[in-house]
Amino acid sequence: MLTRLIPHPLLSLTLVFVWLGLVNTFTLGNLLLGGFLAIVIPMLTAPYWPNRPKIGKPLKGLEYVLIVLWDIVVANVQVAAIILFKRQKNIRSQWVVMPLELHSAEAITVLAGTITMTPGTVSATLAADGGSILVHCLHTDDTDAVRDEIKTRYERRLKEIFE
Amino acid sequence: MIEAAILFAAGCYGLALLLDLWRIALGPNAADRILALDTMVINVIALLVLYGVWRGTAIYFEAAMLVAMVGFVSTVAYCRFLLRGDIIE
Amino acid sequence: MEFLVASAVGTMTAGGVYLLLRLRTFPVILGLALLSYAVNVFLFSSGRLAIDMSPILSKYGEASYTDPLPQALVLTAIVISFGMTAVLVMISLGAFLEADSDKIDIDETDANEDVAK
Amino acid sequence: MSHWIILPVVLPAMLAPIIGFVMRYDIVLARVTSTVGTVLLLAISLGLVMMAADGTTHIYRLGDWPAPFGIVLVLDRLSALMVLLTSALALMVLLHAMASGWDNRGRHFHALFQFQLMGICGAFLTGDVFNLFVFFEILLIASYGLMIHSGGRDRMRAGLQYVVMNLAGSTLFLFALGTLYASTGTLNIADLAAKIPLIPAEEAGLVRVAAMLLMIVFAVKAALFPVQFWLPATYSNAPAPVAALFAIMTKVGAYAILRVHTVVFGPGVAGTDGMIDAWLFPAAIVTIALGAFGVLGAKRLMPLISFSVVGSMGTLLVAVAVFSPVATTAALYYMVHSTFAAACLFLIADLVVSRRDGDALTAAHPTVQNGLFAAIFFAAAIAMAGMPPLSGFLGKLLVLDALREPGLMGWAWTAILAGSLLTIVGFARAGSTLFWKSTAIPVLAPEETADDADGSDDTPPPNRATPAEVAPVMLTLAALVGLAVFAGPVASYLEQTSTQLFDRAGYISAVLAPGEET
Amino acid sequence: MSFIAELLIAISLVVSGIFGFVGSYGLVKLTDSLQRLHAPTKATTLGVGGVLIASMIFFYAETGYLSIHELLISVFLLLTAPITANFIAKTYIARNLKKTDLPDSQSTCGWSIYDDPPESRPGN
Amino acid sequence: MSTSGNLLFLIALLPFIGALVPGLMIRAGRNATATFTAVPTALALILLLTMAPAVLNGETIQAEIEWLPQLGLSVSFFLDGLGLLFACMILGVGLLITLYARFYLSGEDPVGQFYTYLLLFQGAMLGIVISDNILLLLVFWELTSLSSFLLIGYWKHLPEGRQGARMALAVTGAGGLAMIGGMLILGNIAGSFNLTDILQAGDAIRASEWYLPALILILLGAFTKSAQFPFHFWLPHAMAAPTPVSAYLHSATMVKAGVFLMARMWPVLSGTDAWFYIVATTGLVTMVLGALIALFKDDLKALLAFSTVSHLGLLTMLLGFGTEAAAIAAVFHIINHLTFKAALFMTAGIIDHETHTRDIKRLGGLRHVMPLTFLIGTVAALSMAGIPLFNGFLSKEMMLEEASHTYWAGSAYAVPVLATIGALLSVAYSFRFIGHVFLGPVRDDYPAKPHDPPFGLWAAPALLVILVVLIGVMPFLADGIVAAAASAVTGAELDPHLKIWHGVTPALFMSIIAVVGGAALLALHAPLDRAWIKARRPEAKAIFDGLVASIVGLAQRFTAGSHNGAISRYLAIFTVTSVVLGAIAFMGGGLSAPTRDMLPIPAVIAVGWIMLIVATISVVTMHHHRFRALVLIGIIGLTISAGFVYMSAPDLALTQISVETVTIMLLLLALHFLPKETPRESPMGLKIRDGLIAVAAGAGVGGLSFAFMQRDIPTISDFHIANSYEGGGGTNVVNVILVDFRGYDTYGEIIVLGIAGLLIYALMHALLEGPAARRLRNRDYAQDRSRDRHPLMMVVVTRVLMPIALLVGIYIFLRGHNQPGGGFVAGLVVAIALLMQYMASGFAWTQDRQRIEYHTLIGFGVIIAGLTGVGAWVFGAPFLTSSYTYVNLPPIEEFELATAMLFDLGVFLTVLGAVMLMLYSLSRIARYAGSTVNVTPMDYDPGSRVDDGSEST
Ligand code: NA
Ligand code: NA
């Protein structure tokens, strides 16, 4: 029953925050309205999200977010430096193939997103069975190092969170 | 100080827009153009928020948010068109 | 500023008219799209230009507002031209699928050839 | 508070979604609803004509906002007349569409039809130029749907051209409205009429541009030279009942010229005085010539009728161009007449063409009821060409009589009379080929057709027209006869109508009067 | 408004402006389409982030309320930017590269641009 | 002296009532039809005769009903001597023709139609002669053209009939149209269209500067109708009609309408040099020419037709003389010509009927086999020749008498000589009719074996020749009617004494010359005929046909060339017209001095301007690459939206950007089916032309907006700002205008969208049911596609984004009344959210989970908006009157409820429904084009590898 009422609790919670963010003033009325919408909208959209991803450790999730945010800042500075100061001919871009241990679609998506947001890498495509990610690396000499860092820094954590 | 910073940021984004335009006009391939347009969208979002800060009002916020939303959708649509032909299969 | 707006309207109109006069449906659609941008800005400019005077009434004190009426007219015009564009797109698609040609002019000899095909 | 005035808009606007969205799987239900709605509309418009007959200008303030700030509907004799004309024509066309089965040859005919009526009635009733634009768009988009109803290659291509032309026209409309608002600060017709005369002639540049552009916009709808090119292909490729309904669409353009360019930029307004007439008149003359030449040169029946519509618009606009009450009376009479005449021709053409292999003007096996069709066609052609005893002749006489000013007479009379001659000859050639020459070809019995080894077996043997199919044509003819027989009373209503139209002060004070509804 | 607030706002704006510019500069400077992909998708997110932070501080300093709706735009961009980049990359690959230009997927299937997904489900 | 006689209405109406009879009676057989057709005619004649004594006494009988008083058109009739004469002729001969036709027409001919047309014609003709209103006269005049068109074309399977009918209609129709002009002028000069009034105003009319145009126009009508040179050529071709028609229309009645008109207008128009020279000369020329041609016609009916032309010329000439004596002669000759010519036509019909030929060269000797016909024909022909003791002699004598003392341009001989030649030729062809048809030996090669016809056929001509002889011997019998008619023509009391012997006058000599000369000429006929056949002369029919063909050809070429389906040219003309007329309009006015200072240009705005200009120019230069053009359009939309934000129009910005996105989606969906490139086919000249037009239009529009942006004016929107909050309950004035002040516009606008949805849906069905569907099926859209249709990442992100986007949509909807936003933008945002889902997981999968049909959404939207408007009626307020209230529900803070929001909900639903229905329709077409249906939300869910029991289906 509760699953039917709130099919995706995390989504509902997000929606309440988004609503408060939208109206940008915290009042009881807004909270009630936000809460109401946070229940109604996921109910309406539930058919489009048939499965319910398991989030094993939400606190790990928070840790992951903070790490990624920090990495994004760093990535920006690094990439900015490459763009501004490196000569074109000295930029060595390479493909990196990332075999995946993750199976959850949500986890794979987060990983791919993280790769794109972090140092000098863009996830270009997935294998048709979701078994690996093709990553484009802006500038590196050691593709294995890149792969390993992604594996240890992100994939391991995501595996903990989602599985 | 804020005024100056706003002016600086606006100048940066203005230049950025021109560079985006340069890339869209020259291409050479479609992916470049889509990328440049997407960048342009993001620069415009920044400018809209910047304008809100400058005028000290929040009424331009929705515009920025909406631009973010539709910018995403249209970028995906442009890509899907090139990838699959039919954007809604 | 006024000059920029006016010249932009003029340029978009010129571009729109040029494309409107092309011989295939797609450029014509693009032309009408450009024209509708142009006419929207034109209509908007009939309320004169104003910076940061959005016609959203402030609850505090006196403020001056730009003319809201042309904005409302432009909104109506945008919506209508959206509906029209959708219809135009669909009909041009229909004409293309029926005739197997996206020429916009109907040429008698051309039409006969098509039938012969 | 009388809500009658808005009923011609609200009734179809409420019925159309019900037909289109609720009853969309049941043609019978749609037919019944559509018919009941149109009959009601006719009854309402009769009521409105009676309401307006006493000469009062009735105002309906939408949203209860006073003019010029809100939108008002204005019911005077002219708008009442136009609404009545629309609904009467609509009923005839609807009956034909149902009897001939046209309405079932594609989706959503009835919903589009009701929306079309809503748009037309709204355009006639509004007292606001921007709202006029909105209702133009409604009637146009509905007409796009009706135009391409049931599809097909030629219709689709012609429909595309129709849409493109009108989108260009709508764009110009907005440019004109922007200019108008920018130079007057108002959109209400009465308010414009009050403000524009105050603009001194030497500062009237912008207003003049607006007036001129508006005239071109309306001219596109009214098929005036040089923006008439779209009409023949559109009308001749539209489904016949739709073409018949379109007979009123050109009149919307003429109406708009009458309303706006009489009340707002009318005679005596310093800034725009004489500007419109100077262009409208020669353009109308050329339009007559184009129509007449087209009738004579047409190789197919539907274009022939379409060109006769062009010619009739020319005659109508020649009278409009004078901008005097007498000429306007003539124009109005001719407008009513030519609407029914065009509709009658398109409907009879449908009866004939649907029983032949296309509308080419060549001799073919005569249809089963050759004599009947020939007689109706003859009568309709007489009306359209302006031969007695039907209303066309009286309309033409009125127009000629109204154009007695020495400067205009030579051109106008020559054009109208020579145009009539070419039209008569064109119709005579067409009719004698279609109905007379065909009798030289023996009628094929149905079984012979079936035995025909040439493989022309895809044309079904011609079937007899049912009374229901013939009745609408007869109704249009009856309208023409009625218009001729009761020409006196009709003309006296129209005389009062044009007097009221030219009473600008009366219009302004009625619309802008504060408070009480009249 | 406190000096600290002003300073923070100014710094955020300047940082934002720099990154905004660099993103587009990279777009023009880099010669390879895949390289260009790195420039705007990274730099502009932080660029916009900077303005948004500035805006938040500004409104907090002005009104005393914490305005959080700026965060929504950031969240939105963070969610969508990877997808956008992914699509653009695929578009480039699909239109400009051959299957052999890419390394092996090291999985049971090839890259999804060129290979169909496995027939793991009935009706798929 | 005039008396009112409402019987006139009945008389005028009877033929038209009679026209209905054959249609009913034809079921009862031919005899019944003929009999009952005769009844109304007979009745009318009897009624007419009851009035005759009064008219002969000099009274006029009048009756009037108003018809179109605004024009001065009334149904008014009057009967005077002239009218009486003609009316009697029309009805009397009508009766005879009814009888004759019954026996003449064959069993295969549709007799009912014939009598209907005949009576229509009779009514029209009768109307002409008793009309007291010249506009009414015009009505009947044109009706005779129309009904004669039907009668001439009666044998519709014969090309001669059709062509003859069209020619007659064209010529007499043209004349009729000219006459309309003439009559209108005449009425304007006289100040009335009533004939009796006009007849009083002769002096004023002749003095008017408009006299000559009126005269010429009216005479054009009369001359064409009465087949006067050079319009005479249609009459012989009208002989394709059945003989009863020829006898009735083309000898007795219709062709006399022109003569009648000249007689009718005689008091008004005659008496001037113009009248004399135009009318008399035309008549004279026609008389001689007609007679000459008649002499060489071998077809009996053609001979009679040209003889009729000649006699009509004679009448015209007499009227042209403008003297009272001539008028008397004309009136008398009208009667005489009627009697002998109708009899002759009937005789010709009998001969044709019996021998199956009308070719004089194949006839001869009929005297022996058809004695009765011979008798009738000979008497009539002798009268035509002007032989004494027959009535033709009397009036011809009077004509020659008048001619003998008429001067033409100072010459005393021109008219008498030519008149004599005319008479001579007339004698010749009359004798030829007798000699070559009846006299001579009996031939054995008649196409049929001739004998005298049954009584029904010869009765009518016999009656007529009895009149020929009676009047010829006792002319005083006609005194009364001729006096009455001639008095009516001249407007003077005339009392002619018709007698056989006028003494030895010049006319007698001329007559003798004519008879002797005519006989001599006939003797020389054979060689003359050979010479005539050899001679080259203009063939009127060929000239006319050539003229018509060239006008038709010209019209065809012109129409096909001008309306050639080249919409791009139509649009070019439209644009040029707008620009040129706009410029002219502007230059006729002027501008006030600028009142506004221009706003400064910040650098970023200048950048925006550059983007807009570059993008626009790029769209134009790169439009051949359609996809690229769409990307560039994206820039324009984005820039304009940003510009709206800058220029205080946040609502516009929101709307513009979301509409633009949806529009681009639609264009992309459509482009999928269309060619991806536009061929480069415009020649350079065209490009330059279009470029010039475009620049002119752009300059015009830009200049216009630049002009008004520099000038301030007071506008009505101060009211809106002042009343938005108090009256409309909202602080977003733009939104309050949209849903309240001008909610009616918005109502219209959502209806446009609703219609668009309907239309697109209907069109989709039409396409999928037509040949387009086949084309779609055969087309392969699958080339070089990427293999991933529904990428995993997109699907996952959409699952989070869509609910957020929906939330944003609701937010924008709820705040619209007070802040930027509203139903329209909200509808688009929600549509975009759904669109995201469609793009991620595909059409079919998403559609399967769709619970509300888009049709229903539109319907509800339009109905809700409408009902909100109608709801105001309950409170006695006009449509769309809004009301609002503030609700205080503790513990929630106060919030506003406004009916305008309900209206906005209607807007929201319609927009959402319409957009989705459009996308749905396009997708259905795409699916039809061969895309397979996906059953899963993403291409492949890697999660399914480990836990197959997941609930993902
Ligand atoms: Na990125
Ligand atoms: Na709004």
Side-chain angles (χ1 to χ4, degrees), chain B residues 62 78 80 83-84 89, chain F residues 630 785-786 789 811 842-843:
Chain B
E62 283 73 24
Y78 284 130
R80 273 200 68 96
L83 285 169
R84 297 284 303 166
E89 285 183 80
Chain F
L630 281 186
R785 279 178 173 181
S786 162
R789 300 166 65 188
Y811 165 73
F843 178 79

Side-chain angles (χ1 to χ4, degrees), chain A residues 116-117 122, chain E residues 37 41-42 45 81-82 85:
Chain A
T116 304
M117 292 317 212
V122 167
Chain E
L37 205 52
T41 51
K42 288 184 168 62
T45 38

